[in-house]
Amino acid sequence: MKLDFAFIWTAFLQLLTAVPTALAITVVSVSCGLLIGTTVAIIRLYKIPVLHPIAASYVTFIRGTPMLTHLLLIYFGLPIIVDGISEALGLSFRSVSIPMIGFAYISFSITAGAYMSEVVRSGLLAVNRGQIEAAYSIGMTTSQAMRRIILPQAFSASLPNLSNSVIGMLHGSTLAFTVSVVDINAKAQIVASTNWKFFEAYLAAALIFWGLTFIIERLTALAEKRFNLYNRGGVS
Amino acid sequence: MIKLTQIKKSFGRNEVLKGIDLTVKKGEVVAILGPSGSGKTTLLRCINYLEKPSDGQITIDEFTVNYKRPDKKDIHTLRQKSAMVFQQYNLFKHKTALENVMEGLLIVKKLPKEKARQISVELLDKVGLGNKLDAYPSELSGGQQQRVGIARALALNPEVILFDEPTSALDPELVGEVLGVIRKIAKEGITMIIVTHEMSFAQDVANHVVFMDGGVIVEEGNPSQIFNNPKEERTKQFFKRITPDGVYSI
Protein backbone atom coordinates (compact mmCIF):
# COMPACT_ATOMS: atom_id res chain seq x y z
CA MET A 1 0.00 0.00 0.00
CA LYS A 2 1.26 3.41 -0.89
CA LEU A 3 0.53 6.43 1.25
CA ASP A 4 -1.18 9.21 -0.73
CA PHE A 5 0.50 12.30 0.76
CA ALA A 6 -1.35 14.65 -1.54
CA PHE A 7 -4.65 13.31 -0.27
CA ILE A 8 -3.57 13.71 3.36
CA TRP A 9 -3.10 17.39 2.60
CA THR A 10 -6.44 17.66 0.78
CA ALA A 11 -8.21 15.92 3.64
CA PHE A 12 -6.36 18.09 6.15
CA LEU A 13 -7.69 21.26 4.51
CA GLN A 14 -11.24 19.90 4.37
CA LEU A 15 -11.13 18.73 7.98
CA LEU A 16 -10.27 22.24 9.11
CA THR A 17 -13.89 23.18 8.42
CA ALA A 18 -14.95 20.82 11.22
CA VAL A 19 -12.55 22.35 13.75
CA PRO A 20 -14.99 25.11 14.85
CA THR A 21 -17.60 22.44 15.74
CA ALA A 22 -15.09 20.47 17.82
CA LEU A 23 -13.88 23.62 19.56
CA ALA A 24 -17.44 24.81 20.22
CA ILE A 25 -18.31 21.48 21.88
CA THR A 26 -15.09 21.60 23.93
CA VAL A 27 -15.49 25.23 25.03
CA VAL A 28 -19.18 24.88 25.95
CA SER A 29 -18.76 21.60 27.82
CA VAL A 30 -15.64 22.76 29.66
CA SER A 31 -17.17 26.12 30.68
CA CYS A 32 -20.48 24.63 31.83
CA GLY A 33 -18.61 21.69 33.35
CA LEU A 34 -16.39 24.04 35.35
CA LEU A 35 -19.46 25.85 36.65
CA ILE A 36 -21.24 22.62 37.59
CA GLY A 37 -18.00 21.13 38.93
CA THR A 38 -17.22 24.11 41.18
CA THR A 39 -20.75 24.10 42.60
CA VAL A 40 -20.66 20.35 43.20
CA ALA A 41 -17.18 20.52 44.75
CA ILE A 42 -18.25 23.24 47.20
CA ILE A 43 -21.46 21.38 48.08
CA ARG A 44 -19.50 18.19 48.77
CA LEU A 45 -16.65 19.84 50.63
CA TYR A 46 -18.95 21.80 52.95
CA LYS A 47 -21.42 18.90 53.23
CA ILE A 48 -24.39 21.16 52.51
CA PRO A 49 -27.48 19.30 53.74
CA VAL A 50 -29.90 17.78 51.17
CA LEU A 51 -27.69 18.82 48.23
CA HIS A 52 -24.68 16.86 49.47
CA PRO A 53 -26.02 13.32 48.80
CA ILE A 54 -27.49 14.46 45.46
CA ALA A 55 -24.13 15.86 44.38
CA ALA A 56 -22.32 12.71 45.49
CA SER A 57 -24.71 10.45 43.53
CA TYR A 58 -24.35 12.66 40.46
CA VAL A 59 -20.57 12.28 40.51
CA THR A 60 -20.56 8.56 41.09
CA PHE A 61 -23.24 7.86 38.44
CA ILE A 62 -21.67 10.02 35.75
CA ARG A 63 -18.15 8.79 36.39
CA GLY A 64 -19.48 5.27 36.52
CA THR A 65 -20.99 5.37 33.04
CA PRO A 66 -19.34 6.09 29.66
CA MET A 67 -19.59 9.50 28.04
CA LEU A 68 -21.26 7.88 25.01
CA THR A 69 -23.99 6.49 27.25
CA HIS A 70 -24.67 10.00 28.61
CA LEU A 71 -25.03 11.28 25.08
CA LEU A 72 -27.44 8.51 24.11
CA LEU A 73 -29.49 8.89 27.29
CA ILE A 74 -29.81 12.64 26.71
CA TYR A 75 -30.49 12.20 23.00
CA PHE A 76 -33.32 9.73 23.53
CA GLY A 77 -34.49 10.82 26.99
CA LEU A 78 -34.51 14.60 26.81
CA PRO A 79 -37.09 14.88 23.98
CA ILE A 80 -39.57 12.79 26.00
CA ILE A 81 -39.16 15.09 29.00
CA VAL A 82 -39.17 18.33 26.99
CA ASP A 83 -42.20 17.37 24.95
CA GLY A 84 -44.03 16.12 28.01
CA ILE A 85 -43.49 19.37 29.91
CA SER A 86 -44.19 21.47 26.86
CA GLU A 87 -47.45 19.64 26.21
CA ALA A 88 -48.54 19.86 29.83
CA LEU A 89 -47.99 23.61 29.81
CA GLY A 90 -49.69 23.99 26.45
CA LEU A 91 -46.60 25.40 24.75
CA SER A 92 -45.95 25.00 21.04
CA PHE A 93 -42.25 24.20 21.59
CA ARG A 94 -41.23 20.69 20.52
CA SER A 95 -37.93 18.87 20.92
CA VAL A 96 -37.49 18.61 17.15
CA SER A 97 -36.42 22.24 17.13
CA ILE A 98 -33.44 21.50 19.41
CA PRO A 99 -30.37 21.43 17.11
CA MET A 100 -28.41 18.16 17.20
CA ILE A 101 -25.34 19.88 18.59
CA GLY A 102 -27.52 21.05 21.52
CA PHE A 103 -27.73 17.45 22.77
CA ALA A 104 -23.95 17.20 22.63
CA TYR A 105 -23.58 20.48 24.57
CA ILE A 106 -25.96 19.34 27.30
CA SER A 107 -24.70 15.79 27.72
CA PHE A 108 -20.99 16.65 27.55
CA SER A 109 -21.46 19.47 30.06
CA ILE A 110 -22.99 16.95 32.46
CA THR A 111 -20.06 14.59 31.84
CA ALA A 112 -17.45 17.33 32.27
CA GLY A 113 -19.17 18.60 35.43
CA ALA A 114 -18.68 15.31 37.26
CA TYR A 115 -15.01 14.95 36.33
CA MET A 116 -14.24 18.61 36.95
CA SER A 117 -15.89 18.57 40.37
CA GLU A 118 -13.06 16.28 41.46
CA VAL A 119 -10.47 18.53 39.83
CA VAL A 120 -11.85 21.58 41.64
CA ARG A 121 -12.20 19.62 44.90
CA SER A 122 -8.54 18.67 44.82
CA GLY A 123 -7.70 22.33 44.19
CA LEU A 124 -9.82 23.44 47.14
CA LEU A 125 -8.19 20.85 49.38
CA ALA A 126 -4.78 22.16 48.35
CA VAL A 127 -5.56 25.58 49.84
CA ASN A 128 -4.31 25.83 53.40
CA ARG A 129 -7.00 26.06 56.10
CA GLY A 130 -5.21 29.15 57.46
CA GLN A 131 -6.24 31.09 54.36
CA ILE A 132 -9.95 30.94 55.14
CA GLU A 133 -9.27 31.60 58.81
CA ALA A 134 -7.35 34.73 57.87
CA ALA A 135 -10.24 35.81 55.63
CA TYR A 136 -12.71 35.29 58.49
CA SER A 137 -10.43 37.11 60.90
CA ILE A 138 -10.57 40.28 58.81
CA GLY A 139 -14.35 40.05 58.80
CA MET A 140 -15.11 38.48 55.44
CA THR A 141 -18.21 36.37 54.93
CA THR A 142 -17.85 32.81 53.67
CA SER A 143 -18.88 33.76 50.14
CA GLN A 144 -16.43 36.70 50.05
CA ALA A 145 -13.65 34.44 51.32
CA MET A 146 -14.57 31.83 48.72
CA ARG A 147 -14.58 34.26 45.81
CA ARG A 148 -11.62 36.43 46.75
CA ILE A 149 -9.25 34.09 48.57
CA ILE A 150 -10.00 30.38 48.23
CA LEU A 151 -11.21 29.89 44.64
CA PRO A 152 -8.40 31.87 42.97
CA GLN A 153 -5.80 29.79 44.81
CA ALA A 154 -7.72 26.56 44.18
CA PHE A 155 -7.91 27.45 40.50
CA SER A 156 -4.19 27.86 40.07
CA ALA A 157 -3.61 24.63 41.98
CA SER A 158 -6.02 22.82 39.64
CA LEU A 159 -4.58 24.11 36.37
CA PRO A 160 -2.54 21.01 35.41
CA ASN A 161 -5.53 18.70 36.02
CA LEU A 162 -7.85 21.15 34.33
CA SER A 163 -5.83 21.00 31.11
CA ASN A 164 -6.24 17.21 31.25
CA SER A 165 -10.01 17.65 31.36
CA VAL A 166 -9.99 20.13 28.48
CA ILE A 167 -7.97 17.74 26.31
CA GLY A 168 -10.28 14.89 27.32
CA MET A 169 -13.33 16.87 26.27
CA LEU A 170 -11.73 17.86 22.95
CA HIS A 171 -11.09 14.23 22.14
CA GLY A 172 -14.51 13.27 23.49
CA SER A 173 -16.16 15.64 21.04
CA THR A 174 -15.70 12.90 18.40
CA LEU A 175 -18.58 11.03 20.06
CA ALA A 176 -20.98 13.72 18.87
CA PHE A 177 -20.95 11.93 15.51
CA THR A 178 -23.38 9.40 17.05
CA VAL A 179 -26.05 12.11 17.07
CA SER A 180 -25.19 13.27 13.52
CA VAL A 181 -22.97 16.21 14.47
CA VAL A 182 -20.13 16.45 11.98
CA ASP A 183 -16.99 16.69 14.08
CA ILE A 184 -13.40 16.20 12.90
CA ASN A 185 -13.50 12.38 12.80
CA ALA A 186 -16.90 12.34 11.12
CA LYS A 187 -15.67 14.78 8.54
CA ALA A 188 -12.68 12.49 7.86
CA GLN A 189 -15.04 9.62 7.21
CA ILE A 190 -17.09 11.77 4.84
CA VAL A 191 -14.03 13.05 2.99
CA ALA A 192 -12.65 9.52 2.57
CA SER A 193 -15.94 8.01 1.43
CA THR A 194 -15.34 9.38 -2.09
CA ASN A 195 -12.08 7.50 -2.66
CA TRP A 196 -11.87 5.01 0.23
CA LYS A 197 -8.57 6.46 1.49
CA PHE A 198 -9.66 6.23 5.13
CA PHE A 199 -6.14 5.82 6.52
CA GLU A 200 -4.99 9.11 4.98
CA ALA A 201 -8.12 10.93 6.15
CA TYR A 202 -7.82 9.67 9.73
CA LEU A 203 -4.11 10.47 9.69
CA ALA A 204 -5.03 14.06 8.82
CA ALA A 205 -7.59 14.03 11.66
CA ALA A 206 -4.92 12.78 14.06
CA LEU A 207 -2.60 15.59 13.02
CA ILE A 208 -5.33 18.16 13.67
CA PHE A 209 -6.12 16.73 17.12
CA TRP A 210 -2.45 16.69 18.01
CA GLY A 211 -2.08 20.29 16.85
CA LEU A 212 -5.08 21.45 18.87
CA THR A 213 -3.88 19.55 21.93
CA PHE A 214 -0.45 21.08 21.55
CA ILE A 215 -2.03 24.55 21.56
CA ILE A 216 -4.01 23.69 24.71
CA GLU A 217 -0.80 22.49 26.39
CA ARG A 218 1.02 25.71 25.52
CA LEU A 219 -1.89 27.83 26.72
CA THR A 220 -1.97 25.97 30.04
CA ALA A 221 1.75 26.47 30.48
CA LEU A 222 1.26 30.21 29.92
CA ALA A 223 -1.68 30.32 32.33
CA GLU A 224 0.27 28.41 34.95
CA LYS A 225 3.08 30.89 34.67
CA ARG A 226 0.68 33.80 34.98
CA PHE A 227 -1.46 32.45 37.84
CA ASN A 228 1.38 30.98 39.85
CA LEU A 229 3.35 34.18 39.78
CA TYR A 230 2.92 34.45 43.54
CA ASN A 231 4.87 31.26 44.14
CA ARG A 232 8.00 32.64 42.55
CA GLY A 233 9.85 33.03 45.84
CA GLY A 234 9.95 29.26 46.26
CA VAL A 235 9.09 28.89 49.92
CA SER A 236 5.60 29.72 51.05
CA MET B 1 -13.98 46.81 76.84
CA ILE B 2 -14.06 43.07 76.32
CA LYS B 3 -15.81 40.78 78.73
CA LEU B 4 -15.67 37.00 78.50
CA THR B 5 -18.10 35.08 80.69
CA GLN B 6 -17.88 31.35 81.37
CA ILE B 7 -16.32 30.41 78.01
CA LYS B 8 -16.30 26.65 77.61
CA LYS B 9 -14.96 24.51 74.80
CA SER B 10 -14.65 20.78 74.33
CA PHE B 11 -13.07 18.80 71.53
CA GLY B 12 -15.04 15.58 71.71
CA ARG B 13 -14.84 14.44 75.32
CA ASN B 14 -11.78 16.53 76.03
CA GLU B 15 -12.76 19.74 77.78
CA VAL B 16 -10.13 22.31 76.82
CA LEU B 17 -11.70 25.40 78.36
CA LYS B 18 -13.54 24.93 81.63
CA GLY B 19 -15.31 28.23 82.06
CA ILE B 20 -13.09 31.24 81.49
CA ASP B 21 -13.98 34.67 82.84
CA LEU B 22 -11.83 37.53 81.67
CA THR B 23 -12.23 41.27 81.40
CA VAL B 24 -9.96 43.40 79.25
CA LYS B 25 -10.12 47.16 79.58
CA LYS B 26 -9.83 49.46 76.60
CA GLY B 27 -6.19 50.10 75.69
CA GLU B 28 -4.94 47.30 77.86
CA VAL B 29 -2.28 44.84 76.68
CA VAL B 30 -2.99 41.40 78.06
CA ALA B 31 -0.47 38.58 77.88
CA ILE B 32 -1.73 35.03 78.25
CA LEU B 33 0.92 32.60 79.46
CA GLY B 34 0.89 28.95 80.31
CA PRO B 35 2.20 25.55 79.34
CA SER B 36 1.29 23.87 76.05
CA GLY B 37 -2.18 22.41 76.04
CA SER B 38 -3.43 24.82 78.68
CA GLY B 39 -6.04 26.25 76.31
CA LYS B 40 -4.45 29.67 75.64
CA THR B 41 -4.70 29.52 71.86
CA THR B 42 -8.16 27.95 71.96
CA LEU B 43 -9.37 30.79 74.17
CA LEU B 44 -7.96 33.34 71.75
CA ARG B 45 -9.59 31.61 68.79
CA CYS B 46 -12.91 31.46 70.61
CA ILE B 47 -12.94 35.25 70.90
CA ASN B 48 -13.38 35.70 67.14
CA TYR B 49 -15.21 32.43 66.68
CA LEU B 50 -12.54 30.65 64.65
CA GLU B 51 -13.16 28.00 67.26
CA LYS B 52 -16.78 27.39 68.15
CA PRO B 53 -17.16 27.61 71.94
CA SER B 54 -19.65 25.21 73.49
CA ASP B 55 -20.91 27.75 75.97
CA GLY B 56 -20.39 31.23 77.34
CA GLN B 57 -20.88 34.82 76.41
CA ILE B 58 -18.70 37.59 75.01
CA THR B 59 -19.16 41.33 75.01
CA ILE B 60 -16.97 43.54 72.86
CA ASP B 61 -17.67 47.22 72.89
CA GLU B 62 -21.26 46.79 74.17
CA PHE B 63 -22.00 44.14 71.56
CA THR B 64 -22.90 40.82 73.17
CA VAL B 65 -22.93 37.38 71.63
CA ASN B 66 -24.20 34.36 73.47
CA TYR B 67 -22.19 31.38 72.27
CA LYS B 68 -25.00 28.98 73.08
CA ARG B 69 -27.12 30.21 70.17
CA PRO B 70 -25.15 32.63 68.00
CA ASP B 71 -26.66 33.64 64.70
CA LYS B 72 -24.59 34.14 61.59
CA LYS B 73 -24.90 37.92 61.61
CA ASP B 74 -23.71 38.16 65.22
CA ILE B 75 -20.60 36.13 64.41
CA HIS B 76 -19.90 38.33 61.42
CA THR B 77 -20.22 41.51 63.51
CA LEU B 78 -18.06 39.97 66.22
CA ARG B 79 -15.32 39.16 63.73
CA GLN B 80 -15.33 42.69 62.40
CA LYS B 81 -14.59 43.98 65.88
CA SER B 82 -11.43 41.94 66.22
CA ALA B 83 -8.43 41.07 64.09
CA MET B 84 -5.96 38.27 64.45
CA VAL B 85 -2.25 37.81 63.93
CA PHE B 86 -1.50 34.13 63.36
CA GLN B 87 1.41 31.97 64.41
CA GLN B 88 1.82 30.84 60.77
CA TYR B 89 1.20 34.40 59.43
CA ASN B 90 -1.53 33.17 57.03
CA LEU B 91 -1.03 35.97 54.55
CA PHE B 92 -3.12 35.63 51.41
CA LYS B 93 -0.63 33.81 49.24
CA HIS B 94 -1.87 35.13 45.91
CA LYS B 95 -1.79 38.77 46.95
CA THR B 96 1.09 41.18 47.40
CA ALA B 97 1.91 42.75 50.75
CA LEU B 98 -0.05 45.86 49.78
CA GLU B 99 -3.05 43.86 48.53
CA ASN B 100 -3.05 41.79 51.72
CA VAL B 101 -3.47 44.93 53.81
CA MET B 102 -5.95 46.53 51.39
CA GLU B 103 -8.21 43.47 51.12
CA GLY B 104 -10.16 44.04 54.32
CA LEU B 105 -10.51 47.76 53.68
CA LEU B 106 -11.88 47.20 50.18
CA ILE B 107 -14.09 44.17 50.74
CA VAL B 108 -15.19 44.44 54.35
CA LYS B 109 -15.05 48.19 55.04
CA LYS B 110 -15.92 49.05 51.43
CA LEU B 111 -13.50 51.98 51.26
CA PRO B 112 -12.71 53.51 47.85
CA LYS B 113 -9.54 52.09 46.32
CA GLU B 114 -7.45 55.25 46.66
CA LYS B 115 -8.26 55.67 50.33
CA ALA B 116 -7.60 51.98 51.05
CA ARG B 117 -4.27 52.20 49.27
CA GLN B 118 -3.23 55.29 51.18
CA ILE B 119 -4.02 53.73 54.57
CA SER B 120 -2.27 50.48 53.62
CA VAL B 121 0.90 52.21 52.43
CA GLU B 122 1.05 54.20 55.66
CA LEU B 123 0.67 51.04 57.75
CA LEU B 124 3.27 49.10 55.82
CA ASP B 125 5.60 52.04 56.29
CA LYS B 126 4.92 51.92 59.98
CA VAL B 127 5.92 48.25 60.24
CA GLY B 128 9.05 49.04 58.22
CA LEU B 129 8.00 47.47 54.93
CA GLY B 130 7.40 50.58 52.84
CA ASN B 131 9.84 49.16 50.27
CA LYS B 132 8.12 45.77 49.98
CA LEU B 133 4.65 46.85 48.83
CA ASP B 134 4.61 44.70 45.71
CA ALA B 135 6.30 41.61 47.15
CA TYR B 136 4.35 38.36 47.41
CA PRO B 137 4.44 36.51 50.76
CA SER B 138 6.70 33.86 49.22
CA GLU B 139 9.28 36.57 48.59
CA LEU B 140 9.33 37.77 52.20
CA SER B 141 11.11 36.40 55.27
CA GLY B 142 9.05 35.08 58.16
CA GLY B 143 9.56 38.26 60.14
CA GLN B 144 8.53 40.40 57.20
CA GLN B 145 5.43 38.25 56.60
CA GLN B 146 4.44 38.57 60.22
CA ARG B 147 4.84 42.35 60.06
CA VAL B 148 2.52 42.40 57.02
CA GLY B 149 0.12 40.32 59.12
CA ILE B 150 0.24 42.95 61.84
CA ALA B 151 -0.37 45.73 59.31
CA ARG B 152 -3.32 43.77 57.91
CA ALA B 153 -4.81 43.49 61.40
CA LEU B 154 -4.19 47.16 62.19
CA ALA B 155 -5.81 48.31 58.93
CA LEU B 156 -9.26 47.30 60.11
CA ASN B 157 -8.95 49.49 63.17
CA PRO B 158 -10.46 46.75 65.37
CA GLU B 159 -11.48 47.01 69.01
CA VAL B 160 -8.90 44.37 69.83
CA ILE B 161 -6.03 42.63 68.08
CA LEU B 162 -5.47 39.00 68.99
CA PHE B 163 -1.91 37.69 68.70
CA ASP B 164 -1.56 33.92 68.58
CA GLU B 165 2.07 33.14 69.44
CA PRO B 166 3.20 35.67 66.84
CA THR B 167 6.89 34.79 67.07
CA SER B 168 6.85 31.02 67.65
CA ALA B 169 7.44 30.14 64.00
CA LEU B 170 10.28 32.63 63.54
CA ASP B 171 14.02 32.30 63.45
CA PRO B 172 15.45 33.59 66.72
CA GLU B 173 17.12 36.35 64.70
CA LEU B 174 13.79 37.62 63.37
CA VAL B 175 11.86 37.59 66.64
CA GLY B 176 13.20 40.99 67.61
CA GLU B 177 11.82 42.88 64.62
CA VAL B 178 8.31 41.52 65.17
CA LEU B 179 8.31 42.15 68.90
CA GLY B 180 9.60 45.65 68.16
CA VAL B 181 6.58 46.35 65.98
CA ILE B 182 4.15 44.95 68.57
CA ARG B 183 5.80 47.06 71.26
CA LYS B 184 5.44 50.13 69.08
CA ILE B 185 1.71 49.65 68.50
CA ALA B 186 1.13 48.73 72.15
CA LYS B 187 2.28 52.24 73.02
CA GLU B 188 -0.46 53.67 70.81
CA GLY B 189 -3.16 52.41 73.13
CA ILE B 190 -4.57 49.63 70.95
CA THR B 191 -6.20 46.87 72.96
CA MET B 192 -4.28 43.64 72.51
CA ILE B 193 -4.45 40.09 73.77
CA ILE B 194 -1.20 38.22 73.21
CA VAL B 195 -0.60 34.52 73.66
CA THR B 196 3.16 34.16 73.92
CA HIS B 197 6.08 32.19 75.21
CA GLU B 198 8.36 35.23 75.23
CA MET B 199 8.44 35.84 78.97
CA SER B 200 10.59 38.94 79.09
CA PHE B 201 8.54 40.50 76.29
CA ALA B 202 5.31 39.78 78.17
CA GLN B 203 6.73 41.21 81.34
CA ASP B 204 7.79 44.37 79.61
CA VAL B 205 4.90 45.07 77.21
CA ALA B 206 1.80 43.79 79.07
CA ASN B 207 -0.25 45.70 81.63
CA HIS B 208 -2.03 42.56 82.64
CA VAL B 209 -0.80 38.99 82.73
CA VAL B 210 -2.99 35.90 82.75
CA PHE B 211 -1.58 32.49 83.64
CA MET B 212 -3.58 29.53 82.38
CA ASP B 213 -3.29 25.81 82.99
CA GLY B 214 -5.61 22.88 82.36
CA GLY B 215 -8.34 25.01 80.80
CA VAL B 216 -8.74 27.46 83.66
CA ILE B 217 -7.18 30.79 84.61
CA VAL B 218 -4.93 29.93 87.53
CA GLU B 219 -3.88 33.46 88.33
CA GLU B 220 -3.99 36.95 86.84
CA GLY B 221 -2.69 40.35 87.79
CA ASN B 222 -0.15 42.99 86.87
CA PRO B 223 3.16 41.73 85.45
CA SER B 224 5.37 42.40 88.45
CA GLN B 225 2.94 40.63 90.72
CA ILE B 226 2.67 37.53 88.50
CA PHE B 227 6.34 37.29 87.55
CA ASN B 228 7.91 38.21 90.88
CA ASN B 229 5.30 37.27 93.40
CA PRO B 230 2.99 34.54 92.14
CA LYS B 231 0.53 33.33 94.72
CA GLU B 232 -0.48 29.99 93.26
CA GLU B 233 1.75 26.96 93.53
CA ARG B 234 1.24 26.05 89.83
CA THR B 235 2.37 29.50 88.68
CA LYS B 236 5.47 29.39 90.87
CA GLN B 237 6.31 25.98 89.51
CA PHE B 238 5.93 27.22 85.91
CA PHE B 239 8.19 30.22 86.35
CA LYS B 240 10.74 28.22 88.25
CA ARG B 241 11.18 25.94 85.27
CA ILE B 242 11.46 28.78 82.81
CA THR B 243 14.02 31.36 83.58
CA PRO B 244 13.79 34.61 81.57
CA ASP B 245 14.34 34.58 77.80
CA GLY B 246 13.31 30.98 77.42
CA VAL B 247 16.50 29.54 78.91
CA TYR B 248 15.55 26.31 80.60
CA SER B 249 17.20 25.35 83.84
CA ILE B 250 17.97 21.68 84.29
Side-chain angles (χ1 to χ4, degrees), chain A residues 106-177:
Chain A
I106 294 169
S107 99
F108 293 169
S109 296
I110 293 171
T111 312
Y115 286 95
M116 287 188 158
S117 78
E118 288 295 280
V119 172
V120 175
R121 204 167 67 92
S122 78
L124 287 170
L125 288 172
V127 180
N128 193 300
R129 165 126 197 99
Q131 295 288 313
I132 198 159
E133 290 192 346
Y136 283 150
S137 82
I138 63 169
M140 283 190 178
T141 61
T142 306
S143 73
Q144 284 171 336
M146 227 30 202
R147 260 199 339 268
R148 308 266 322 170
I149 309 299
I150 309 301
L151 284 175
Q153 290 185 40
F155 179 70
S156 34
S158 328
L159 266 175
N161 283 329
L162 220 48
S163 83
N164 247 347
S165 298
V166 176
I167 293 168
M169 292 318 290
L170 171 70
H171 297 172
S173 74
T174 51
L175 295 177
F177 182 44

Side-chain angles (χ1 to χ4, degrees), chain A residues 10 25 35 46 48 56 84 87 100 104 108 126 130 137 145 157 159 161 168 174 180-181 186 201 210 213 232 236:
Chain A
T10 319
I25 292 174
L35 212 68
Y46 288 87
I48 296 171
E87 221 166 295
M100 287 306 176
F108 293 169
S137 82
L159 266 175
N161 283 329
T174 51
S180 336
V181 174
W210 188 18
T213 305
R232 64 189 164 189
S236 57

Side-chain angles (χ1 to χ4, degrees), chain B residues 25-42:
Chain B
K25 294 198 220 59
K26 203 171 172 62
E28 205 168 37
V29 176
V30 176
I32 305 181
L33 312 174
S36 303
S38 58
K40 322 180 284 292
T41 292
T42 308

Side-chain angles (χ1 to χ4, degrees), chain A residues 17-225:
Chain A
T17 58
V19 168
T21 311
L23 287 183
I25 292 174
T26 311
V27 169
V28 170
S29 60
V30 165
S31 323
C32 297
L34 200 55
L35 212 68
I36 299 171
T38 308
T39 316
V40 168
I42 291 173
I43 289 172
R44 294 189 69 189
L45 212 59
Y46 288 87
K47 301 210 164 39
I48 296 171
V50 188
L51 296 176
H52 173 234
I54 300 175
S57 336
Y58 160 72
V59 174
T60 166
F61 177 72
I62 296 299
R63 294 206 307 168
T65 43
M67 191 167 161
L68 182 58
T69 309
H70 308 155
L71 182 61
L72 294 171
L73 285 177
I74 289 291
Y75 181 65
F76 290 107
L78 197 63
I80 302 172
I81 299 169
V82 168
D83 291 343
I85 293 172
S86 182
E87 221 166 295
L89 297 175
L91 302 174
S92 62
F93 184 83
R94 287 294 175 274
S95 57
V96 224
S97 48
I98 303 176
M100 287 306 176
I101 200 167
F103 292 102
Y105 287 158
I106 294 169
S107 99
F108 293 169
S109 296
I110 293 171
T111 312
Y115 286 95
M116 287 188 158
S117 78
E118 288 295 280
V119 172
V120 175
R121 204 167 67 92
S122 78
L124 287 170
L125 288 172
V127 180
N128 193 300
R129 165 126 197 99
Q131 295 288 313
I132 198 159
E133 290 192 346
Y136 283 150
S137 82
I138 63 169
M140 283 190 178
T141 61
T142 306
S143 73
Q144 284 171 336
M146 227 30 202
R147 260 199 339 268
R148 308 266 322 170
I149 309 299
I150 309 301
L151 284 175
Q153 290 185 40
F155 179 70
S156 34
S158 328
L159 266 175
N161 283 329
L162 220 48
S163 83
N164 247 347
S165 298
V166 176
I167 293 168
M169 292 318 290
L170 171 70
H171 297 172
S173 74
T174 51
L175 295 177
F177 182 44
T178 350
V179 296
S180 336
V181 174
V182 180
D183 76 297
I184 296 171
N185 258 3
K187 186 79 183 170
Q189 202 170 353
I190 294 167
V191 169
S193 60
T194 52
N195 58 2
W196 292 83
K197 294 196 169 163
F198 285 103
F199 183 61
E200 281 84 350
Y202 285 129
L203 211 51
L207 286 174
I208 289 181
F209 277 117
W210 188 18
L212 291 175
T213 305
F214 180 75
I215 294 171
I216 294 171
E217 284 171 347
R218 296 320 304 158
L219 288 177
T220 324
L222 278 180
E224 268 183 55
K225 219 169 163 183

